[in-house]
Amino acid sequence: LNDKLKRARNAQKTWALTTFEQRRQVLRTLNEFVLGHQREICQVACRDSGKTLIDATLGEVLTTNAKLQWTIKNGEDALKNDNRDPGFMMMYKRAKVIYQPRGVVAALVSWNYPFHNTVGPVISALFSGNAIVVKASEHVAWSMAYWEQMVKRALNVCGHDPELVQFVTGFADIGNALTSSPLVDHITFIGSPEVGKLVMKSASVNLTPVTLELGGKDCAIVFADADMAQCIPVLMRGVIQNASQNCIGIERILVQEGAYDKFVAEMERRIKTVRLGAVLDDGDAGVDCGAMVLSNCFGRLESLIADAVAKGARCLVGGHPYAHPRHPRGQYFEPTLLVDVTPEMDITRNETFGPIMVIMKFKDEQDSLDRVHSSPYGLGSSVFSGDRARGRRVALKLRTGMANVNDFGVNYICQALPFGGVGISGFGRFAGPEGLRALCVEKAFTEDRFPFVKTPIPPIVDYPIQDTEKGYQFTQQIVAFAYSDSWWASIKAGLRLGKLSM
């Protein structure tokens, strides 16, 4: 690991001197490769994670191309020198913020989207002038060699050192070694709150800054006046896509009383028709939901469902692992519909990361907010309403890092927006200008606006100070002169300054 970090740091010294156009050339090369090899990339992601080709296209390829395109078109504007107003006292200075690369950054990424979660941090790191070491999950280690080869070849054909990007796989010991290394200048971690705390503790050894994305218990609030013809298909995808192994997957649907029964009936009809299978076999072309990455989560999912049922919920569909007749070793969980769920049930507070649709009932706006905020997570959220003002009002009251009105997850396709949460969903942001700038040192910089005007030290306050009281009165009048609300007060302060200087 240390050898990889050192090679990355050595390569970064030259990379930091590249122009934005040179960096764009690398990203354009990568973008063209992804566009030309969509099926191959999706097949690799499917083979390693069990998802469907459609889920791979939407979650792996589309999101990656969106990030590439936004960075190519807007990255320079996000990182160019930011001129600031120096204020009255410093009007003879130029003041700006200069975004300088940190050096070598690390990304420890989750297994649910092996391509996008791996390549996304690489895009931001390279464009901001950094080298990067990516620690992939051991659960999707098989595909890492392909992603690494893809990125390194893009660098190589553009004439840059492929050592800029390093990939490592392994277990917790490798992750700890990476997060505690003094050779790492920034850490992005995508995972659970429990492991996120360990990452923070490890990073604290060297006070390495961290960005933590720790999952969510995302809600969708559906008011009775919502357009159900649009809302229901969107929420089906929010739950079923990628077997709901999404940090921003819809894990709680709150439906207003007047629409509750019809909503539940329609979801029951739909979820009963969801087909499980593997898309890499021609015989399984009709597949809606793929396998899950982790089989050891099944007991936890069944336990959460059992707890809810014991406390009054109804499990209308599914609720158990599924033995696929053609893929007996596949890790499948039945698409599940759990209704009449209430906040005291464990499933409303714990991330499931499985294809379980949880439906709750609410009365009014405040009741919906109270129920949502019973969970300590605060990543994404959705509000569906035919009343635009109410949709916006409720969305802005939600204690989450992201909110969508009449939609699900589209903030992630809008790569101009920062991605991240509050509460135990973590802190810091990636994507958007905020994500690029997080990988930079925000250096405050001043210089003389005119070569013949420099900061003077008046004799009255020059060391050694001859008269402390007189010196204090002088500085007091400087403050009054510069910051008084009225011109008359400033003029009087200026006259006093003249007298004190004599």
Side-chain angles (χ1 to χ4, degrees):
L1 176 62
N2 280 343
D3 182 58
K4 286 178 177 285
L5 286 166
K6 288 176 182 177
R7 296 207 306 269
R9 186 168 294 281
N10 186 59
Q12 191 270 337
K13 293 176 183 176
T14 302
W15 180 250
L17 303 176
T18 56
T19 64
F20 285 122
E21 182 53 38
Q22 288 174 304
R23 299 173 193 176
R24 275 192 289 268
Q25 182 187 31
V26 173
L27 298 193
R28 289 193 191 102
T29 301
L30 191 56
N31 187 64
E32 287 302 310
F33 182 88
V34 174
L35 289 173
H37 297 78
Q38 287 190 57
R39 177 170 286 272
E40 183 178 283
I41 291 169
C42 288
Q43 287 175 330
V44 172
C46 290
R47 176 67 71 184
D48 216 10
S49 66
K51 65 184 66 194
T52 69
L53 281 172
I54 291 175
D55 287 349
T57 302
L58 295 176
E60 305 275 16
V61 173
L62 186 150
T63 51
T64 301
N65 283 124
K67 189 176 188 71
L68 282 163
Q69 283 295 325
W70 182 86
T71 308
I72 289 167
K73 293 178 180 178
N74 303 285
E76 182 173 354
D77 284 340
L79 295 179
K80 67 183 180 183
N81 294 345
D82 186 3
N83 294 317
R84 303 289 176 88
D85 179 2
F88 178 75
M89 283 290 292
M90 293 285 108
M91 66 172 64
Y92 60 94
K93 294 284 188 180
R94 288 193 179 93
K96 62 184 69 177
V97 177
I98 299 175
Y99 298 97
Q100 296 181 319
R102 291 185 181 273
V104 178
V105 300
L108 294 85
V109 296
S110 58
W111 41 259
N112 53 335
Y113 288 96
F115 175 59
H116 179 71
N117 284 351
T118 300
V119 176
V122 171
I123 295 167
S124 296
L126 291 180
F127 196 82
S128 55
N130 294 285
I132 185 170
V133 177
V134 181
K135 193 278 181 187
S137 168
E138 63 273 17
H139 298 293
V140 288
W142 177 79
S143 60
M144 289 305 113
Y146 180 50
W147 317 138
E148 182 176 22
Q149 183 183 55
M150 184 190 307
V151 174
K152 285 182 176 289
R153 284 192 175 184
L155 284 164
N156 191 51
V157 298
C158 293
H160 303 291
D161 191 345
E163 299 289 357
L164 268 170
V165 178
Q166 302 289 338
F167 282 54
V168 296
T169 56
F171 298 93
D173 58 328
I174 298 298
N176 184 65
L178 184 59
T179 55
S180 62
S181 173
L183 301 176
V184 172
D185 300 300
H186 183 276
I187 298 165
T188 298
F189 173 75
I190 304 173
S192 68
E194 294 75 23
V195 180
K197 293 175 183 179
L198 297 177
V199 169
M200 283 188 67
K201 184 177 180 180
S202 180
S204 69
V205 173
N206 299 297
L207 293 179
T208 307
V210 296
T211 293
L212 300 178
E213 194 276 272
L214 306 178
K217 193 71 190 172
D218 285 13
C219 67
I221 300 174
V222 181
F223 286 94
D225 65 351
D227 180 354
M228 296 300 173
Q230 181 263 343
C231 169
I232 287 175
V234 168
L235 293 181
M236 279 292 294
R237 178 152 295 281
V239 174
I240 300 301
Q241 180 170 316
N242 205 39
S244 203
Q245 297 168 117
N246 306 308
C247 54
I248 54 170
I250 298 296
E251 297 223 354
R252 295 173 295 163
I253 301 176
L254 290 81
V255 183
Q256 197 168 22
E257 289 175 334
Y260 186 83
D261 290 340
K262 289 183 67 175
F263 186 93
V264 167
E266 176 61 15
M267 286 305 192
E268 181 178 11
R269 183 189 71 80
R270 284 173 173 261
I271 290 177
K272 283 180 177 177
T273 66
V274 174
R275 299 160 298 178
L276 293 167
V279 298
L280 298 181
D281 185 334
D282 291 339
D284 283 337
V287 172
D288 303 306
C289 185
M292 298 183 68
V293 175
L294 306 181
S295 62
N296 61 5
C297 70
F298 289 170
R300 181 178 62 85
L301 296 181
E302 288 185 290
S303 176
L304 289 171
I305 293 168
D307 171 79
V309 171
K311 294 175 180 175
R314 292 180 292 145
C315 185
L316 301 183
V317 184
H320 304 285
Y322 175 68
H324 198 290
R326 298 192 60 193
H327 306 286
R329 296 185 180 181
Q331 298 168 175
Y332 296 96
F333 196 86
E334 295 173 338
T336 299
L337 178 60
L338 193 65
V339 304
D340 300 346
V341 175
T342 55
E344 63 270 15
M345 299 173 186
D346 291 344
I347 201 165
T348 66
R349 296 186 297 275
N350 295 278
E351 190 176 37
T352 54
F353 236 55
I356 302 172
M357 180 176 285
V358 170
I359 302 183
M360 309 171 71
K361 185 187 295 185
F362 74 91
K363 296 178 181 179
D364 51 29
E365 289 184 24
Q366 188 57 51
D367 186 34
S368 72
L369 292 169
D370 291 341
R371 290 172 182 270
V372 168
H373 293 153
S374 65
S375 169
Y377 286 95
L379 190 57
S381 57
S382 299
V383 179
F384 291 84
S385 175
D387 183 337
R388 186 176 180 182
R390 176 164 63 181
R392 182 186 297 113
R393 180 172 64 247
V394 174
L396 292 177
K397 288 180 180 179
L398 288 168
R399 194 171 60 247
T400 60
M402 301 172 287
N404 302 285
V405 176
N406 292 329
D407 222 323
F408 144 73
V410 291
N411 51 277
Y412 195 61
I413 307 302
C414 299
Q415 281 288 318
L417 297 174
F419 187 95
V422 299
I424 67 170
S425 289
F427 53 81
R429 299 292 185 266
F430 53 84
E434 293 81 1
L436 282 176
R437 292 170 182 172
L439 301 181
C440 296
V441 175
E442 298 170 317
K443 179 170 287 185
F445 179 82
T446 68
E447 61 184 351
D448 294 327
R449 188 182 297 274
F450 310 106
F452 50 85
V453 180
K454 301 185 183 302
T455 299
I457 302 296
I460 194 171
V461 290
D462 189 15
Y463 294 107
I465 297 172
Q466 300 300 313
D467 188 331
T468 302
E469 178 58 31
K470 192 175 181 181
Y472 165 70
Q473 293 178 19
F474 182 83
T475 56
Q476 189 181 40
Q477 296 308 314
I478 288 178
V479 174
F481 173 74
Y483 303 113
S484 291
D485 289 333
S486 70
W487 281 103
W488 178 237
S490 293
I491 291 171
K492 289 194 293 183
L495 294 172
R496 294 190 191 105
L497 279 172
K499 291 181 180 179
L500 289 167
S501 299
M502 295 175 63

